[in-house]
Amino acid sequence: MTVNRRTLLGASAAAGAAAAVAAASPAEAKPAKRYSFTVMGTTDLHGNVFNWDYFADKEYADAAGNTRGIARIATLVERVRAEKGRKNTLLIDSGDTIQGTPLAYYYARVDPIVAEAGPVHPMAQSMNEIGYDAAALGNHEFNYGLDTLRKFESQLEFPLLGANTIDVATGEPAFPPYHMARLRTGCGKDVKVAILGLCTPGVTIWDKAYVDGVLEFPSLESEAAHWVPKLKAMGADVVVISAHSGTSGKSAYDTSTGLGVENASALVAQQVSGIDAILVGHAHVEIEELRVADPDGHEVVLSNPLCYGQRLTLFDFDLVLEKGKWKVESVKASILNSNEVEEDERIVAILSDEHNEVVTYVNQVVGQAAIDLDTAEARYKDEPIIDLITKVQEDTVKAALAGTAHADLPVVAQASPFSRTSVIPAGDVRIKDLSSLYIYDNTLVAKLMTGAQIRDYLEYSAQYFVQTAAGAAVDPNAITNAEGRPDYNYDYVSGFTYEIDIAKPAGSRIANLKFAGAEVDPAQRFVLAVNNYRANGGGNFPHVAAAEELWSESIEIRTRIIEWVTAKGALDPAEFASVDWFLTREGTPVF
């Protein structure tokens, strides 16, 4: 064939036209490969299997219409799996699982899982049945000691994660630091999702008796900075942190000693690159979606579902395959409400017997009350029901110190108005009534304190009240919880009489502090019966954590209260109650 100018131009034009058609043809373009999946998350379940209030002996209900329990979460989980496909979902938890209800207490102490041929913990049974993929440790996992925690761990069919729970002897994580899940995409390349578990360092303080010298808890930020790059190097396409730590950046203890921040989830997001999402726990505050920029400007999505099985978080991920690697295109978080569904019949079937056993236990009658006792006004009035706690603590410590070098020192006691709704009705007193008064699994410690230190302690406690000028209107609901301080960080101290002048600024409110009718000598020594949370620094009260410890025990204060009432057979305020403190403004009582 002879090639001339006309032939060449014609061929070139034809080729160009064909190329243009090919480039413009959508049928021949290769679409990007994409994949979507969902990570579901719960937190702070605190032993809530069913929507049941064991203290009130009826279904749980509140003004907002919330419901509780992992049995309802199970229904939500199955609904999401049905919508998105089981293989396209993961389910995780961020801690505080085995403490918080009489059900949880029963299987830790009354019919303990650590006993020979002991039961399987109800939370293990339910979480296994639902099919969790991983869970992080919470601080309350340590409340019953390491033997109970390890037994619970052994009963789980998924890993219990704790990257910053370090074995002092080896320097290595005492629990699996992460779980690497593999999701089949149908695109020829799986997605690897790394779940990293982190726990608030406050365990070092709150459960010192169990972890001191055995476990240590470096900051969340430092351990995330250590592990996230490792997970990326291991091929993780997506990194999710399950963090038992709130977002506020605040701590209920002194961090100047080097102990990490209690609520550090947002700090982790800000300081560590490579994280895609954080399931937040510990703070019991609902956060549907919080977006925080990491050091590279990448947005990290945080979500904190409401505690007790009231909510389920969904992290929805969209990924695209670029150059043989999965890239996260978008993440969004949303929350489902457990009041939208009924309890999963599978959970009801496997745990109704355990539930009924605990209902029977908490309804045992242990004594008779002479009058109605309640906590409705206990946060701003000296109420007999709180005096019951201090009386039991005083008696327990006095008996423990009998015959020792400190037996002759006066014993005083600390107690907080934990609940605003606890009621011990006149007549039959049941275990559930006393349990509602002391809802935490705290134990008792005896600390040596001086009169000056007690005064400082009371001044710090009085920061709980909002400064209210003399003559100003008083709303009982508006004068407490100053700067967000919770009720459990307001303490009575028995044995003293004193006034709290709420018209004065914090730090100068305690007036007329007396012991046995006399002004308190700053040098006088006292034995303070105090719960282990406070004794170890919880709430950051002055002096008490550093004070000499004279005695401690592992029996819960709640149990001591039940024993005391059982032994007496009667609950008469004449035996334990007195009005020792009251609120004033410039010397005039507020109430």
Side-chain angles (χ1 to χ4, degrees):
M1 175 180 179
T2 303
V3 179
N4 57 34
R5 183 173 179 272
R6 179 177 293 181
T7 304
L8 179 61
L9 290 174
S12 297
V21 170
S25 174
E28 294 183 17
K30 289 186 177 180
K33 292 183 177 181
R34 285 183 163 80
Y35 176 67
S36 299
F37 71 98
T38 298
V39 176
M40 298 175 281
T42 56
T43 189
D44 295 277
L45 293 169
H46 282 288
N48 284 273
V49 172
F50 299 119
N51 188 50
W52 191 260
D53 185 339
Y54 290 93
F55 304 132
D57 199 26
K58 62 182 181 181
E59 283 204 342
Y60 173 79
D62 65 18
N66 290 310
T67 56
R68 296 179 170 183
I70 198 170
R72 288 175 185 259
I73 292 294
T75 304
L76 289 176
V77 167
E78 288 309 302
R79 190 174 82 183
V80 173
R81 286 171 174 166
E83 291 173 356
K84 300 179 182 291
R86 173 69 182 257
K87 69 181 182 66
N88 301 320
T89 64
L90 296 171
L91 175 61
I92 64 175
D93 181 83
S94 63
D96 275 5
T97 304
I98 60 171
Q99 178 277 339
T101 61
L103 179 77
Y105 175 79
Y106 188 87
Y107 289 100
R109 291 289 190 249
V110 181
D111 185 12
I113 61 174
V114 294
E116 186 175 352
V120 176
H121 198 288
M123 293 306 293
Q125 291 189 56
S126 57
M127 295 175 85
N128 289 340
E129 179 66 26
I130 295 168
Y132 274 76
D133 293 281
L137 289 163
N139 57 287
H140 282 290
E141 260 66 81
F142 297 87
N143 286 173
Y144 300 118
L146 297 181
D147 288 346
T148 297
L149 175 52
R150 288 299 191 187
K151 185 65 175 180
F152 173 68
E153 180 190 25
S154 74
Q155 294 176 340
L156 298 175
E157 296 172 359
F158 53 89
L160 192 57
L161 308 178
N164 68 326
T165 303
I166 306 300
D167 187 323
V168 171
T170 66
E172 298 295 326
F175 293 80
Y178 64 88
H179 171 64
M180 190 73 78
R182 186 183 292 271
L183 300 176
R184 304 289 183 183
T185 67
C187 297
K189 184 174 178 60
D190 297 343
V191 170
K192 294 174 73 173
V193 182
I195 311 296
L196 182 69
L198 296 169
C199 183
T200 178
V203 179
T204 303
I205 292 175
W206 306 319
D207 278 303
K208 180 180 179 181
Y210 294 125
V211 304
D212 191 32
V214 181
L215 300 173
E216 58 186 7
F217 296 80
S219 73
L220 279 78
E221 305 96 299
S222 65
E223 294 309 293
H226 172 77
W227 281 103
V228 171
K230 287 182 177 291
L231 296 172
K232 288 289 191 180
M234 293 165 58
D237 301 297
V238 178
V239 174
V240 176
I241 292 181
S242 184
H244 192 77
S245 181
T247 61
S248 69
K250 298 180 180 180
S251 304
Y253 49 75
D254 184 4
T255 57
S256 65
T257 60
L259 189 63
V261 172
E262 178 182 354
N263 293 297
S265 287
L267 296 176
V268 171
Q270 291 168 0
Q271 296 178 19
V272 181
S273 298
I275 302 165
D276 296 295
I278 301 178
L279 177 65
V280 179
H282 182 60
H284 292 205
V285 175
E286 183 174 345
I287 301 172
E288 183 167 29
E289 182 179 88
L290 173 66
R291 292 178 176 269
V292 175
D294 75 5
D296 300 324
H298 169 72
E299 277 194 335
V300 183
V301 177
L302 295 81
S303 182
N304 187 348
L306 197 58
C307 52
Y308 310 142
Q310 295 178 93
R311 304 287 189 273
L312 176 71
T313 278
L314 306 183
F315 291 105
D316 289 312
F317 290 85
D318 291 321
L319 278 60
V320 62
L321 191 61
E322 291 185 351
K323 297 179 180 179
K325 292 185 178 181
W326 287 109
K327 177 185 176 182
V328 176
E329 275 193 317
S330 68
V331 187
K332 64 179 181 179
S334 58
I335 283 179
L336 300 180
N337 195 326
S338 70
N339 68 6
E340 300 171 358
V341 296
E342 297 300 318
E343 292 175 339
D344 190 309
E345 293 181 357
R346 297 172 301 155
I347 309 302
V348 174
I350 64 175
L351 287 172
S352 287
D353 289 347
E354 287 86 342
H355 166 74
N356 292 333
E357 189 172 343
V358 174
V359 169
T360 299
Y361 165 74
V362 299
N363 278 284
Q364 291 180 61
V365 175
V366 293
Q368 298 291 314
I371 62 171
D372 289 344
L373 298 167
D374 68 70
T375 58
E377 299 181 333
R379 63 196 185 281
Y380 51 84
K381 291 182 181 179
D382 185 352
E383 291 286 0
I385 197 167
I386 308 299
D387 293 337
L388 170 63
I389 301 172
T390 58
K391 173 61 173 173
V392 171
Q393 293 181 168
E394 288 175 6
D395 287 359
T396 302
V397 169
K398 286 176 183 176
L401 296 181
T404 72
H406 300 96
D408 294 332
L409 292 179
V411 176
V412 297
Q414 157 272 347
S416 305
F418 291 141
S419 169
R420 299 187 181 189
T421 58
S422 177
V423 176
I424 301 177
D428 290 346
V429 177
R430 292 175 167 81
I431 286 176
K432 67 182 179 67
D433 304 320
L434 301 175
S435 297
S436 73
L437 173 61
Y438 210 105
I439 58 177
Y440 298 108
D441 293 323
N442 294 335
T443 57
L444 194 56
V445 180
K447 290 274 194 166
L448 187 61
M449 302 273 281
T450 67
Q453 290 173 332
I454 293 291
R455 177 180 286 277
D456 289 347
Y457 189 101
L458 289 170
E459 284 286 7
Y460 182 84
S461 182
Q463 293 178 17
Y464 170 77
F465 296 102
V466 175
Q467 187 173 3
T468 308
V474 173
D475 176 359
N477 293 318
I479 63 171
T480 64
N481 306 99
E483 297 184 354
R485 180 176 291 203
D487 296 346
Y488 61 74
N489 276 341
Y490 171 61
D491 285 3
Y492 293 30
V493 178
S494 68
F496 299 92
T497 57
Y498 55 97
E499 300 169 18
I500 304 173
D501 190 336
I502 63 172
K504 292 185 176 180
S508 58
R509 292 176 171 173
I510 302 301
N512 298 321
L513 179 63
K514 296 182 179 181
F515 181 79
E519 294 290 331
V520 173
D521 180 349
Q524 184 176 357
R525 298 194 304 166
F526 298 89
V527 177
L528 178 65
V530 59
N531 71 55
N532 66 302
Y533 173 80
R534 189 74 76 237
N536 291 329
N540 205 23
F541 276 61
H543 308 302
V544 64
E548 180 183 354
E549 183 176 306
L550 306 179
W551 171 87
S552 66
E553 67 172 351
S554 60
I555 297 173
E556 289 80 7
I557 293 170
R558 179 198 306 110
T559 300
R560 289 302 191 189
I561 295 170
I562 293 168
E563 291 174 346
W564 192 91
V565 174
T566 302
K568 296 281 185 181
L571 198 56
D572 187 345
E575 289 193 55
F576 54 81
S578 59
V579 178
D580 299 323
W581 64 269
F582 53 93
L583 302 183
T584 65
R585 288 183 295 179
E586 297 181 355
T588 301
V590 175
F591 300 106

